[in-house]
Amino acid sequence: MHRVLCPVETLYVGQRSRAVLSCTLRGPVDVAALSAAFDAMTEANPPLRSRIAQDGAGHVLRLLGEDERPRLITRTGDDEDEAYAAELNRPLPVGGPLSRAVLVSAADGERHLFVLAVDHTVTDGHSSIALHNALWDRYRALVEGHPAAGASEDGAPRWPEPVSGLLPPADDAETAKYLDSRLEAVRRNPAELVPYDAATGEGAGAQGHIEVRRLTLEAETTSRLRRAARDAGVSVHALIAATLLATARRRLGGEGARTLGCLSPVDLRSRLSPPVPTAALVPAVTTHLQTVEVSEASEPLELARTVHGRLGDFLARGDHVHEMRITPEIPRNPALQLATVIVTNMGVVPGPRLPEGLRAADVRLAPAREHYFPQAGRSPVMACVVSFDGRLSIEFPHFTACFSPSFMRAFRDDVRAGLLSFATAADTRPAPATTG
């Protein structure tokens, strides 16, 4: 049994990227129940127990045999940090399962790391978070003895419909005109990229692996940053994007304005009719690329207003629909998505709900890829932004043969300082007057 991949989904086949959800746990874990919960998730979601197969000039999702489908992998005794690094670097190769679940437990049975990896061909950030939470909902139900959810009436797997098939009607000539305008814009204003430093840094000569530098803010500081955005009439996403742009500009050196690009993924689920459920395992995102002139003297708040306003105009015009339609052109014209910084935005999301006696000490979402290209000499800087239970977290994944750990630590620290300056400014503004 199979489902044909749409042109947009096929783009991810070549990119070989994956969402990596992880959860550090404290307390006892019923391994049998967790294994059964993962089996229930793969049974209810055929993409998780599928592989990518060639079908003529295109690709399909083909169900794996019973002996091939992914099962929970368990290990004991590994260091949590080392286990996370290993799973972050373990690919989901074409031809194999599109999901993997791993539980690494300490010898005392009270400390665990759970990692869920899902191929981006069949998911995006929102649906991978929903899947992770649904898995733990299922685990909680099993541990607490609640009845299982019923299977579909006919027992057949239900493939989610590709988002590209749910787009509203569009005139082909208008889409072609939009593509021409986008190509002309990137030709006239190409974004500068951040040069790699690993040729001379601690990654020099190494084969390279994926690492993640992480920035987290406590709930109180996150609230102050949200207040700063609200007071300025912009989104938190815009404040983060502006801070990243200013930080990237400092890495380029020289004087005067430089053309930098900001790529913002745009969630389509709520913008389609009918809306696509968050739990639907499909990549339901498009992107917005804008270029801005940034100098060493640029005010981050003004950059934020520019980013916020242009993204709002993009959505108001309905250009996100055209952008989704031209996605198949990206392999031929990669400049359509070439930016100085890539800033995702998952928003504020809940963490997993666990049974009594088990708690989540931390939850993370980071993207990873199978292929990196140190020979390119430069690339965008990626920032994966999500707030689990009100705490802002920004993950900076990087390949050590491109950007060295020390480079990304310094980049992360500069971004933290910029965000804290916004949050501090929110504290110094007078509170709005109350009436009544």
Side-chain angles (χ1 to χ4, degrees):
M1 195 159 190
H2 69 274
R3 174 169 86 69
V4 176
L5 291 178
C6 75
V8 171
E9 293 168 334
T10 301
L11 178 69
Y12 293 98
V13 176
Q15 289 186 349
R16 306 308 314 125
S17 58
R18 56 193 179 274
V20 181
L21 270 294
S22 66
C23 185
T24 56
L25 303 161
R26 298 295 179 260
V29 172
D30 185 327
V31 175
L34 184 58
S35 179
F38 181 62
D39 287 347
M41 290 299 101
T42 60
E43 186 64 31
N45 297 281
L48 298 177
R49 53 188 171 94
S50 299
R51 63 182 178 89
I52 298 170
Q54 190 84 33
D55 184 50
H59 293 84
V60 299
L61 297 178
R62 196 176 300 280
L63 284 179
L64 294 163
E66 190 64 22
D67 60 339
E68 300 174 293
R69 64 186 291 175
R71 306 288 184 183
L72 177 69
I73 300 167
T74 58
R75 296 198 302 272
T76 302
D78 294 5
D79 175 81
E80 282 184 7
D81 291 339
E82 292 177 359
Y84 177 77
E87 292 306 320
L88 189 67
N89 281 275
R90 185 165 292 133
L92 292 167
V94 172
L98 299 181
S99 65
R100 180 175 58 248
V102 180
L103 179 71
V104 179
S105 301
D108 62 7
E110 292 292 319
R111 292 171 294 130
H112 315 266
L113 172 71
F114 177 74
V115 182
L116 176 66
V118 186
D119 194 296
H120 267 137
T121 307
V122 298
T123 195
D124 53 23
H126 290 285
S127 58
S128 61
I129 292 171
L131 172 67
H132 182 251
N133 286 344
L135 188 154
W136 285 108
D137 284 345
R138 181 74 179 117
Y139 171 82
R140 189 181 72 256
L142 288 170
V143 168
E144 295 176 350
H146 298 161
S152 60
E153 292 182 6
D154 57 6
R158 293 182 175 176
W159 298 96
E161 188 172 355
V163 170
S164 57
L166 302 175
L167 296 175
D171 181 84
D172 289 344
E174 285 297 315
T175 301
K177 181 180 177 182
Y178 178 82
L179 174 61
D180 288 343
S181 69
R182 285 277 284 109
L183 291 171
E184 176 63 13
V186 297
R187 184 190 68 79
R188 291 170 61 90
N189 297 291
E192 294 195 50
L193 305 183
V194 177
Y196 295 149
D197 78 307
T200 56
E202 67 263 47
Q207 191 164 356
H209 58 276
I210 305 168
E211 291 191 7
V212 181
R213 305 273 78 80
R214 191 183 188 202
L215 186 166
T216 58
L217 299 180
E218 293 302 320
E220 180 183 350
T221 308
T222 301
S223 295
R224 285 191 278 130
L225 186 65
R226 292 172 65 85
R227 179 187 162 194
R230 185 170 60 250
D231 291 348
V234 300
S235 63
V236 173
H237 170 79
L239 291 184
I240 295 170
T243 306
L244 281 159
L245 287 167
T247 303
R249 173 62 187 87
R250 289 192 288 273
R251 268 63 187 172
L252 296 177
E255 298 180 353
R258 309 283 279 272
T259 302
L260 306 189
C262 178
L263 188 74
S264 301
V266 174
D267 178 35
L268 291 176
R269 294 173 186 272
S270 63
R271 296 181 170 93
L272 295 173
S273 184
V276 176
T278 305
L281 284 178
V282 288
V285 294
T286 188
T287 56
H288 173 247
L289 174 65
Q290 59 177 293
T291 55
V292 292
E293 296 299 306
V294 185
S295 74
E296 60 271 45
S298 294
E299 276 290 331
L301 187 54
E302 289 307 310
L303 287 176
R305 290 191 173 109
T306 298
V307 170
H308 180 82
R310 290 181 179 177
L311 180 55
D313 291 344
F314 171 82
L315 295 171
R317 291 192 302 266
D319 284 352
H320 53 285
V321 175
H322 286 310
E323 196 71 27
M324 187 69 163
R325 292 189 181 281
I326 69 169
T327 300
E329 296 294 325
I330 292 170
R332 291 185 288 273
N333 299 284
L336 289 169
Q337 286 192 342
L338 203 55
T340 314
V341 297
I342 302 172
V343 192
T344 73
N345 180 20
M346 300 299 109
V348 180
V349 297
R353 297 182 299 162
L354 303 172
E356 187 175 353
L358 182 64
R359 68 180 182 88
D362 195 15
V363 186
R364 300 178 67 173
L365 167 64
R369 298 209 317 264
E370 195 169 329
H371 304 300
Y372 293 82
F373 303 96
Q375 62 272 25
R378 59 193 63 229
S379 76
V381 174
M382 175 75 172
C384 180
V385 184
V386 62
S387 294
F388 284 108
D389 292 325
R391 295 177 64 246
L392 180 73
S393 176
I394 306 178
E395 308 273 358
F396 295 93
H398 64 101
F399 195 63
T400 58
C402 300
F403 293 116
S404 68
S406 61
F407 178 94
M408 290 308 300
R409 274 194 295 270
F411 194 99
R412 183 268 320 271
D413 291 347
D414 276 6
V415 172
R416 182 197 304 275
L419 295 180
L420 289 178
S421 69
F422 280 127
T424 301
D427 284 342
T428 62
R429 295 189 189 100
T434 57
T435 59

